[in-house]
mmCIF file of all heavy atoms in Angstrom:
data_model
loop_
_atom_site.group_PDB
_atom_site.id
_atom_site.type_symbol
_atom_site.label_atom_id
_atom_site.label_comp_id
_atom_site.label_asym_id
_atom_site.label_seq_id
_atom_site.Cartn_x
_atom_site.Cartn_y
_atom_site.Cartn_z
ATOM 1 N N LYS A 22 8.774 10.952 -27.429
ATOM 2 C CA LYS A 22 9.770 10.312 -26.587
ATOM 3 C C LYS A 22 9.285 10.291 -25.140
ATOM 4 O O LYS A 22 8.777 11.285 -24.627
ATOM 5 C CB LYS A 22 11.092 11.078 -26.678
ATOM 6 C CG LYS A 22 12.235 10.415 -25.987
ATOM 7 C CD LYS A 22 13.510 11.183 -26.256
ATOM 8 C CE LYS A 22 14.689 10.497 -25.592
ATOM 9 N NZ LYS A 22 15.933 11.200 -25.859
ATOM 10 N N ILE A 23 9.433 9.140 -24.490
ATOM 11 C CA ILE A 23 9.035 8.994 -23.093
ATOM 12 C C ILE A 23 10.132 9.588 -22.230
ATOM 13 O O ILE A 23 11.260 9.085 -22.203
ATOM 14 C CB ILE A 23 8.817 7.511 -22.725
ATOM 15 C CG1 ILE A 23 7.725 6.909 -23.591
ATOM 16 C CG2 ILE A 23 8.488 7.372 -21.243
ATOM 17 C CD1 ILE A 23 7.570 5.414 -23.445
ATOM 18 N N SER A 24 9.809 10.669 -21.528
ATOM 19 C CA SER A 24 10.813 11.305 -20.675
ATOM 20 C C SER A 24 10.720 10.813 -19.234
ATOM 21 O O SER A 24 11.690 10.902 -18.491
ATOM 22 C CB SER A 24 10.690 12.826 -20.722
ATOM 23 O OG SER A 24 9.403 13.216 -20.324
ATOM 24 N N LYS A 25 9.565 10.264 -18.844
ATOM 25 C CA LYS A 25 9.419 9.779 -17.481
ATOM 26 C C LYS A 25 8.297 8.756 -17.410
ATOM 27 O O LYS A 25 7.277 8.897 -18.071
ATOM 28 C CB LYS A 25 9.134 10.941 -16.530
ATOM 29 C CG LYS A 25 9.213 10.573 -15.079
ATOM 30 C CD LYS A 25 9.225 11.812 -14.208
ATOM 31 C CE LYS A 25 9.453 11.357 -12.776
ATOM 32 N NZ LYS A 25 9.561 12.472 -11.863
ATOM 33 N N ILE A 26 8.498 7.712 -16.599
ATOM 34 C CA ILE A 26 7.474 6.718 -16.309
ATOM 35 C C ILE A 26 7.207 6.791 -14.810
ATOM 36 O O ILE A 26 8.127 6.665 -14.007
ATOM 37 C CB ILE A 26 7.927 5.294 -16.704
ATOM 38 C CG1 ILE A 26 8.229 5.222 -18.196
ATOM 39 C CG2 ILE A 26 6.862 4.273 -16.311
ATOM 40 C CD1 ILE A 26 8.820 3.907 -18.654
ATOM 41 N N GLU A 27 5.943 7.008 -14.462
ATOM 42 C CA GLU A 27 5.608 7.221 -13.052
ATOM 43 C C GLU A 27 4.413 6.364 -12.659
ATOM 44 O O GLU A 27 3.400 6.352 -13.344
ATOM 45 C CB GLU A 27 5.285 8.701 -12.855
ATOM 46 C CG GLU A 27 5.110 9.118 -11.436
ATOM 47 C CD GLU A 27 4.925 10.619 -11.347
ATOM 48 O OE1 GLU A 27 5.908 11.350 -11.603
ATOM 49 O OE2 GLU A 27 3.803 11.057 -11.034
ATOM 50 N N TYR A 28 4.566 5.618 -11.564
ATOM 51 C CA TYR A 28 3.466 4.827 -11.015
ATOM 52 C C TYR A 28 2.849 5.622 -9.873
ATOM 53 O O TYR A 28 3.498 5.881 -8.873
ATOM 54 C CB TYR A 28 3.963 3.472 -10.514
ATOM 55 C CG TYR A 28 4.360 2.553 -11.626
ATOM 56 C CD1 TYR A 28 5.648 2.568 -12.148
ATOM 57 C CD2 TYR A 28 3.440 1.676 -12.183
ATOM 58 C CE1 TYR A 28 6.009 1.729 -13.182
ATOM 59 C CE2 TYR A 28 3.793 0.832 -13.222
ATOM 60 C CZ TYR A 28 5.074 0.863 -13.714
ATOM 61 O OH TYR A 28 5.430 0.031 -14.733
ATOM 62 N N ARG A 29 1.586 6.003 -10.029
ATOM 63 C CA ARG A 29 0.900 6.789 -9.013
ATOM 64 C C ARG A 29 -0.091 5.903 -8.267
ATOM 65 O O ARG A 29 -0.641 4.959 -8.831
ATOM 66 C CB ARG A 29 0.159 7.957 -9.666
ATOM 67 C CG ARG A 29 1.079 8.914 -10.371
ATOM 68 C CD ARG A 29 0.325 10.024 -11.035
ATOM 69 N NE ARG A 29 1.231 10.886 -11.788
ATOM 70 C CZ ARG A 29 0.829 11.834 -12.599
ATOM 71 N NH1 ARG A 29 -0.454 12.062 -12.781
ATOM 72 N NH2 ARG A 29 1.717 12.566 -13.252
ATOM 73 N N PRO A 30 -0.315 6.213 -7.002
ATOM 74 C CA PRO A 30 -1.272 5.392 -6.233
ATOM 75 C C PRO A 30 -2.691 5.517 -6.789
ATOM 76 O O PRO A 30 -3.080 6.552 -7.303
ATOM 77 C CB PRO A 30 -1.196 5.967 -4.813
ATOM 78 C CG PRO A 30 -0.358 7.186 -4.881
ATOM 79 C CD PRO A 30 0.294 7.259 -6.215
ATOM 80 N N GLY A 31 -3.419 4.407 -6.676
ATOM 81 C CA GLY A 31 -4.818 4.417 -7.088
ATOM 82 C C GLY A 31 -5.066 3.968 -8.505
ATOM 83 O O GLY A 31 -6.202 3.954 -8.953
ATOM 84 N N HIS A 32 -4.027 3.588 -9.234
ATOM 85 C CA HIS A 32 -4.223 3.165 -10.627
ATOM 86 C C HIS A 32 -3.825 1.718 -10.870
ATOM 87 O O HIS A 32 -3.607 1.307 -11.997
ATOM 88 C CB HIS A 32 -3.478 4.103 -11.589
ATOM 89 C CG HIS A 32 -4.069 5.464 -11.628
ATOM 90 N ND1 HIS A 32 -5.260 5.742 -12.247
ATOM 91 C CD2 HIS A 32 -3.666 6.626 -11.076
ATOM 92 C CE1 HIS A 32 -5.549 7.014 -12.102
ATOM 93 N NE2 HIS A 32 -4.596 7.582 -11.390
ATOM 94 N N ARG A 33 -3.658 0.958 -9.810
ATOM 95 C CA ARG A 33 -3.477 -0.500 -9.850
ATOM 96 C C ARG A 33 -2.389 -0.961 -10.803
ATOM 97 O O ARG A 33 -2.577 -1.848 -11.623
ATOM 98 C CB ARG A 33 -4.791 -1.172 -10.182
ATOM 99 C CG ARG A 33 -5.847 -0.843 -9.175
ATOM 100 C CD ARG A 33 -7.129 -1.525 -9.444
ATOM 101 N NE ARG A 33 -8.067 -1.137 -8.409
ATOM 102 C CZ ARG A 33 -9.335 -1.353 -8.456
ATOM 103 N NH1 ARG A 33 -9.861 -1.964 -9.474
ATOM 104 N NH2 ARG A 33 -10.117 -0.977 -7.478
ATOM 105 N N GLY A 34 -1.264 -0.345 -10.737
ATOM 106 C CA GLY A 34 -0.117 -0.778 -11.528
ATOM 107 C C GLY A 34 -0.040 -0.212 -12.922
ATOM 108 O O GLY A 34 0.850 -0.567 -13.674
ATOM 109 N N SER A 35 -0.967 0.625 -13.305
ATOM 110 C CA SER A 35 -0.910 1.266 -14.618
ATOM 111 C C SER A 35 -0.086 2.544 -14.501
ATOM 112 O O SER A 35 -0.423 3.427 -13.723
ATOM 113 C CB SER A 35 -2.308 1.620 -15.116
ATOM 114 O OG SER A 35 -3.051 0.460 -15.341
ATOM 115 N N PRO A 36 0.975 2.648 -15.285
ATOM 116 C CA PRO A 36 1.837 3.826 -15.151
ATOM 117 C C PRO A 36 1.343 5.010 -15.974
ATOM 118 O O PRO A 36 0.573 4.863 -16.918
ATOM 119 C CB PRO A 36 3.162 3.327 -15.707
ATOM 120 C CG PRO A 36 2.780 2.331 -16.737
ATOM 121 C CD PRO A 36 1.549 1.657 -16.191
ATOM 122 N N TYR A 37 1.820 6.158 -15.596
ATOM 123 C CA TYR A 37 1.675 7.367 -16.390
ATOM 124 C C TYR A 37 2.966 7.537 -17.178
ATOM 125 O O TYR A 37 4.054 7.342 -16.638
ATOM 126 C CB TYR A 37 1.490 8.597 -15.492
ATOM 127 C CG TYR A 37 0.092 8.811 -15.005
ATOM 128 C CD1 TYR A 37 -0.359 8.199 -13.854
ATOM 129 C CD2 TYR A 37 -0.782 9.639 -15.701
ATOM 130 C CE1 TYR A 37 -1.646 8.412 -13.391
ATOM 131 C CE2 TYR A 37 -2.075 9.857 -15.248
ATOM 132 C CZ TYR A 37 -2.498 9.237 -14.093
ATOM 133 O OH TYR A 37 -3.777 9.445 -13.643
ATOM 134 N N LEU A 38 2.842 7.877 -18.449
ATOM 135 C CA LEU A 38 3.997 8.149 -19.292
ATOM 136 C C LEU A 38 4.022 9.635 -19.598
ATOM 137 O O LEU A 38 3.001 10.202 -20.003
ATOM 138 C CB LEU A 38 3.912 7.378 -20.611
ATOM 139 C CG LEU A 38 3.746 5.870 -20.546
ATOM 140 C CD1 LEU A 38 3.636 5.308 -21.952
ATOM 141 C CD2 LEU A 38 4.884 5.230 -19.796
ATOM 142 N N LYS A 39 5.167 10.250 -19.431
ATOM 143 C CA LYS A 39 5.305 11.649 -19.832
ATOM 144 C C LYS A 39 5.875 11.652 -21.236
ATOM 145 O O LYS A 39 7.026 11.309 -21.468
ATOM 146 C CB LYS A 39 6.212 12.422 -18.875
ATOM 147 C CG LYS A 39 6.221 13.899 -19.169
ATOM 148 C CD LYS A 39 6.927 14.692 -18.106
ATOM 149 C CE LYS A 39 6.766 16.172 -18.403
ATOM 150 N NZ LYS A 39 7.476 16.989 -17.429
ATOM 151 N N ILE A 40 5.012 11.998 -22.182
ATOM 152 C CA ILE A 40 5.373 12.039 -23.596
ATOM 153 C C ILE A 40 5.311 13.497 -24.018
ATOM 154 O O ILE A 40 4.238 14.086 -24.071
ATOM 155 C CB ILE A 40 4.420 11.178 -24.450
ATOM 156 C CG1 ILE A 40 4.455 9.723 -23.965
ATOM 157 C CG2 ILE A 40 4.784 11.266 -25.912
ATOM 158 C CD1 ILE A 40 3.418 8.841 -24.613
ATOM 159 N N GLY A 41 6.459 14.069 -24.303
ATOM 160 C CA GLY A 41 6.519 15.503 -24.582
ATOM 161 C C GLY A 41 6.225 16.258 -23.294
ATOM 162 O O GLY A 41 6.884 16.063 -22.289
ATOM 163 N N ASN A 42 5.200 17.090 -23.305
ATOM 164 C CA ASN A 42 4.802 17.845 -22.116
ATOM 165 C C ASN A 42 3.524 17.295 -21.482
ATOM 166 O O ASN A 42 3.000 17.889 -20.553
ATOM 167 C CB ASN A 42 4.592 19.320 -22.461
ATOM 168 C CG ASN A 42 5.887 19.987 -22.851
ATOM 169 O OD1 ASN A 42 6.939 19.645 -22.317
ATOM 170 N ND2 ASN A 42 5.815 20.915 -23.779
ATOM 171 N N GLU A 43 2.996 16.174 -21.987
ATOM 172 C CA GLU A 43 1.738 15.622 -21.506
ATOM 173 C C GLU A 43 1.967 14.319 -20.764
ATOM 174 O O GLU A 43 2.872 13.550 -21.083
ATOM 175 C CB GLU A 43 0.792 15.347 -22.681
ATOM 176 C CG GLU A 43 0.359 16.549 -23.450
ATOM 177 C CD GLU A 43 -0.569 16.175 -24.595
ATOM 178 O OE1 GLU A 43 -0.815 14.966 -24.809
ATOM 179 O OE2 GLU A 43 -1.032 17.091 -25.279
ATOM 180 N N TRP A 44 1.097 14.077 -19.791
ATOM 181 C CA TRP A 44 1.081 12.794 -19.091
ATOM 182 C C TRP A 44 -0.020 11.934 -19.693
ATOM 183 O O TRP A 44 -1.130 12.401 -19.915
ATOM 184 C CB TRP A 44 0.823 12.993 -17.600
ATOM 185 C CG TRP A 44 2.000 13.537 -16.871
ATOM 186 C CD1 TRP A 44 2.243 14.842 -16.590
ATOM 187 C CD2 TRP A 44 3.103 12.797 -16.366
ATOM 188 N NE1 TRP A 44 3.439 14.966 -15.920
ATOM 189 C CE2 TRP A 44 3.992 13.724 -15.761
ATOM 190 C CE3 TRP A 44 3.450 11.451 -16.352
ATOM 191 C CZ2 TRP A 44 5.176 13.346 -15.156
ATOM 192 C CZ3 TRP A 44 4.627 11.071 -15.747
ATOM 193 C CH2 TRP A 44 5.477 11.999 -15.156
ATOM 194 N N HIS A 45 0.296 10.675 -19.975
ATOM 195 C CA HIS A 45 -0.665 9.750 -20.573
ATOM 196 C C HIS A 45 -0.772 8.524 -19.671
ATOM 197 O O HIS A 45 0.222 7.868 -19.387
ATOM 198 C CB HIS A 45 -0.192 9.342 -21.976
ATOM 199 C CG HIS A 45 -1.066 8.327 -22.622
ATOM 200 N ND1 HIS A 45 -2.304 8.644 -23.144
ATOM 201 C CD2 HIS A 45 -0.912 7.005 -22.799
ATOM 202 C CE1 HIS A 45 -2.849 7.546 -23.627
ATOM 203 N NE2 HIS A 45 -2.026 6.540 -23.428
ATOM 204 N N LEU A 46 -1.988 8.203 -19.216
ATOM 205 C CA LEU A 46 -2.231 7.024 -18.397
ATOM 206 C C LEU A 46 -2.411 5.814 -19.298
ATOM 207 O O LEU A 46 -3.232 5.824 -20.211
ATOM 208 C CB LEU A 46 -3.473 7.209 -17.517
ATOM 209 C CG LEU A 46 -3.910 5.998 -16.689
ATOM 210 C CD1 LEU A 46 -2.838 5.640 -15.656
ATOM 211 C CD2 LEU A 46 -5.233 6.260 -16.012
ATOM 212 N N ILE A 47 -1.627 4.778 -19.049
ATOM 213 C CA ILE A 47 -1.752 3.528 -19.804
ATOM 214 C C ILE A 47 -3.028 2.834 -19.356
ATOM 215 O O ILE A 47 -3.231 2.600 -18.173
ATOM 216 C CB ILE A 47 -0.525 2.616 -19.556
ATOM 217 C CG1 ILE A 47 0.746 3.269 -20.065
ATOM 218 C CG2 ILE A 47 -0.723 1.250 -20.162
ATOM 219 C CD1 ILE A 47 0.809 3.413 -21.552
ATOM 220 N N ASN A 48 -3.914 2.493 -20.311
ATOM 221 C CA ASN A 48 -5.154 1.815 -19.959
ATOM 222 C C ASN A 48 -5.046 0.313 -20.202
ATOM 223 O O ASN A 48 -3.993 -0.189 -20.567
ATOM 224 C CB ASN A 48 -6.344 2.433 -20.706
ATOM 225 C CG ASN A 48 -6.259 2.235 -22.196
ATOM 226 O OD1 ASN A 48 -5.622 1.316 -22.689
ATOM 227 N ND2 ASN A 48 -6.911 3.109 -22.943
ATOM 228 N N ALA A 49 -6.130 -0.392 -20.031
ATOM 229 C CA ALA A 49 -6.129 -1.854 -20.096
ATOM 230 C C ALA A 49 -5.653 -2.397 -21.443
ATOM 231 O O ALA A 49 -4.951 -3.405 -21.495
ATOM 232 C CB ALA A 49 -7.524 -2.389 -19.791
ATOM 233 N N GLU A 50 -6.009 -1.748 -22.537
ATOM 234 C CA GLU A 50 -5.590 -2.217 -23.858
ATOM 235 C C GLU A 50 -4.083 -2.086 -24.060
ATOM 236 O O GLU A 50 -3.485 -2.821 -24.825
ATOM 237 C CB GLU A 50 -6.309 -1.424 -24.955
ATOM 238 C CG GLU A 50 -7.777 -1.712 -25.064
ATOM 239 C CD GLU A 50 -8.051 -2.979 -25.844
ATOM 240 O OE1 GLU A 50 -7.200 -3.395 -26.637
ATOM 241 O OE2 GLU A 50 -9.132 -3.544 -25.639
ATOM 242 N N GLU A 51 -3.471 -1.125 -23.386
ATOM 243 C CA GLU A 51 -2.060 -0.830 -23.601
ATOM 244 C C GLU A 51 -1.142 -1.515 -22.589
ATOM 245 O O GLU A 51 0.070 -1.366 -22.672
ATOM 246 C CB GLU A 51 -1.840 0.683 -23.517
ATOM 247 C CG GLU A 51 -2.658 1.447 -24.523
ATOM 248 C CD GLU A 51 -2.803 2.896 -24.169
ATOM 249 O OE1 GLU A 51 -3.171 3.203 -23.021
ATOM 250 O OE2 GLU A 51 -2.537 3.734 -25.054
ATOM 251 N N LEU A 52 -1.695 -2.273 -21.659
ATOM 252 C CA LEU A 52 -0.879 -2.892 -20.611
ATOM 253 C C LEU A 52 0.164 -3.858 -21.165
ATOM 254 O O LEU A 52 1.170 -4.122 -20.518
ATOM 255 C CB LEU A 52 -1.776 -3.621 -19.601
ATOM 256 C CG LEU A 52 -2.589 -2.722 -18.681
ATOM 257 C CD1 LEU A 52 -3.504 -3.561 -17.801
ATOM 258 C CD2 LEU A 52 -1.694 -1.853 -17.836
ATOM 259 N N LYS A 53 -0.048 -4.354 -22.368
ATOM 260 C CA LYS A 53 0.896 -5.310 -22.962
ATOM 261 C C LYS A 53 2.269 -4.703 -23.230
ATOM 262 O O LYS A 53 3.251 -5.414 -23.358
ATOM 263 C CB LYS A 53 0.304 -5.876 -24.247
ATOM 264 C CG LYS A 53 -0.046 -4.826 -25.276
ATOM 265 C CD LYS A 53 -0.881 -5.385 -26.403
ATOM 266 C CE LYS A 53 -1.506 -4.251 -27.177
ATOM 267 N NZ LYS A 53 -2.748 -4.607 -27.772
ATOM 268 N N ILE A 54 2.377 -3.386 -23.303
ATOM 269 C CA ILE A 54 3.672 -2.766 -23.613
ATOM 270 C C ILE A 54 4.475 -2.401 -22.373
ATOM 271 O O ILE A 54 5.648 -2.071 -22.485
ATOM 272 C CB ILE A 54 3.501 -1.514 -24.502
ATOM 273 C CG1 ILE A 54 2.801 -0.386 -23.752
ATOM 274 C CG2 ILE A 54 2.782 -1.842 -25.783
ATOM 275 C CD1 ILE A 54 2.819 0.929 -24.489
ATOM 276 N N ILE A 55 3.881 -2.463 -21.185
ATOM 277 C CA ILE A 55 4.564 -2.023 -19.972
ATOM 278 C C ILE A 55 5.905 -2.718 -19.739
ATOM 279 O O ILE A 55 6.891 -2.056 -19.455
ATOM 280 C CB ILE A 55 3.646 -2.159 -18.740
ATOM 281 C CG1 ILE A 55 2.520 -1.145 -18.831
ATOM 282 C CG2 ILE A 55 4.414 -1.940 -17.446
ATOM 283 C CD1 ILE A 55 1.491 -1.276 -17.746
ATOM 284 N N PRO A 56 6.004 -4.037 -19.867
ATOM 285 C CA PRO A 56 7.308 -4.669 -19.592
ATOM 286 C C PRO A 56 8.420 -4.249 -20.558
ATOM 287 O O PRO A 56 9.596 -4.432 -20.262
ATOM 288 C CB PRO A 56 7.039 -6.165 -19.730
ATOM 289 C CG PRO A 56 5.568 -6.325 -19.665
ATOM 290 C CD PRO A 56 4.972 -5.034 -20.123
ATOM 291 N N TYR A 57 8.061 -3.692 -21.695
ATOM 292 C CA TYR A 57 9.048 -3.355 -22.719
ATOM 293 C C TYR A 57 9.434 -1.881 -22.736
ATOM 294 O O TYR A 57 10.320 -1.493 -23.488
ATOM 295 C CB TYR A 57 8.512 -3.749 -24.097
ATOM 296 C CG TYR A 57 8.129 -5.192 -24.171
ATOM 297 C CD1 TYR A 57 6.806 -5.584 -24.046
ATOM 298 C CD2 TYR A 57 9.093 -6.180 -24.314
ATOM 299 C CE1 TYR A 57 6.448 -6.925 -24.081
ATOM 300 C CE2 TYR A 57 8.745 -7.523 -24.352
ATOM 301 C CZ TYR A 57 7.426 -7.883 -24.232
ATOM 302 O OH TYR A 57 7.080 -9.204 -24.261
ATOM 303 N N LEU A 58 8.760 -1.051 -21.951
ATOM 304 C CA LEU A 58 9.020 0.386 -21.986
ATOM 305 C C LEU A 58 10.152 0.791 -21.051
ATOM 306 O O LEU A 58 10.291 0.259 -19.958
ATOM 307 C CB LEU A 58 7.771 1.166 -21.593
ATOM 308 C CG LEU A 58 6.620 1.150 -22.573
ATOM 309 C CD1 LEU A 58 5.475 1.993 -22.037
ATOM 310 C CD2 LEU A 58 7.041 1.662 -23.929
ATOM 311 N N GLN A 59 10.931 1.752 -21.527
ATOM 312 C CA GLN A 59 11.969 2.374 -20.720
ATOM 313 C C GLN A 59 11.950 3.865 -21.012
ATOM 314 O O GLN A 59 11.496 4.295 -22.068
ATOM 315 C CB GLN A 59 13.354 1.823 -21.084
ATOM 316 C CG GLN A 59 13.549 0.376 -20.787
ATOM 317 C CD GLN A 59 14.917 -0.117 -21.243
ATOM 318 O OE1 GLN A 59 15.717 0.647 -21.780
ATOM 319 N NE2 GLN A 59 15.186 -1.387 -21.035
ATOM 320 N N GLU A 60 12.472 4.637 -20.069
ATOM 321 C CA GLU A 60 12.604 6.065 -20.328
ATOM 322 C C GLU A 60 13.583 6.251 -21.471
ATOM 323 O O GLU A 60 14.592 5.562 -21.568
ATOM 324 C CB GLU A 60 13.084 6.792 -19.074
ATOM 325 C CG GLU A 60 12.037 6.825 -17.986
ATOM 326 C CD GLU A 60 12.499 7.563 -16.746
ATOM 327 O OE1 GLU A 60 13.589 8.168 -16.763
ATOM 328 O OE2 GLU A 60 11.756 7.525 -15.753
ATOM 329 N N GLY A 61 13.261 7.138 -22.368
ATOM 330 C CA GLY A 61 14.089 7.381 -23.542
ATOM 331 C C GLY A 61 13.561 6.702 -24.795
ATOM 332 O O GLY A 61 14.001 7.013 -25.903
ATOM 333 N N ASP A 62 12.628 5.768 -24.644
ATOM 334 C CA ASP A 62 12.004 5.132 -25.810
ATOM 335 C C ASP A 62 11.055 6.121 -26.475
ATOM 336 O O ASP A 62 10.534 7.031 -25.848
ATOM 337 C CB ASP A 62 11.196 3.904 -25.400
ATOM 338 C CG ASP A 62 12.057 2.749 -24.934
ATOM 339 O OD1 ASP A 62 13.287 2.825 -25.087
ATOM 340 O OD2 ASP A 62 11.494 1.775 -24.407
ATOM 341 N N SER A 63 10.830 5.910 -27.760
ATOM 342 C CA SER A 63 9.817 6.667 -28.476
ATOM 343 C C SER A 63 8.650 5.738 -28.739
ATOM 344 O O SER A 63 8.833 4.565 -29.056
ATOM 345 C CB SER A 63 10.357 7.203 -29.796
ATOM 346 O OG SER A 63 11.378 8.133 -29.548
ATOM 347 N N VAL A 64 7.441 6.261 -28.597
ATOM 348 C CA VAL A 64 6.247 5.446 -28.753
ATOM 349 C C VAL A 64 5.280 6.159 -29.696
ATOM 350 O O VAL A 64 5.171 7.387 -29.683
ATOM 351 C CB VAL A 64 5.600 5.147 -27.374
ATOM 352 C CG1 VAL A 64 5.146 6.396 -26.695
ATOM 353 C CG2 VAL A 64 4.481 4.157 -27.473
#
C-alpha cells in the first residue's frame, strides 16, 4: 500500500513512493502510472 507520494528535488518529476517501510523511486519505465496513483492505493 502506498502510504506517501513525495516529489524530491533533483529527480525531474519522478516521485518517490513509500510502500510499507521502504521508499521506491519511480523510474522511466514506470512513469506511465504516475497520473493514476494516489495515496492509499496498492501497487
Side-chain angles (χ1 to χ4, degrees):
K22 187 174 182 179
I23 300 172
S24 58
K25 190 168 186 177
I26 300 174
E27 188 175 290
Y28 289 88
R29 298 178 184 171
H32 292 287
R33 301 182 180 167
S35 295
Y37 278 87
L38 305 178
K39 188 171 186 182
I40 301 172
N42 293 326
E43 296 180 357
W44 286 95
H45 176 75
L46 175 64
I47 297 293
N48 65 24
E50 290 279 337
E51 301 161 310
L52 288 176
K53 58 192 165 209
I54 68 170
I55 291 175
Y57 304 99
L58 290 181
Q59 295 177 0
E60 291 181 7
D62 290 351
S63 295
V64 63

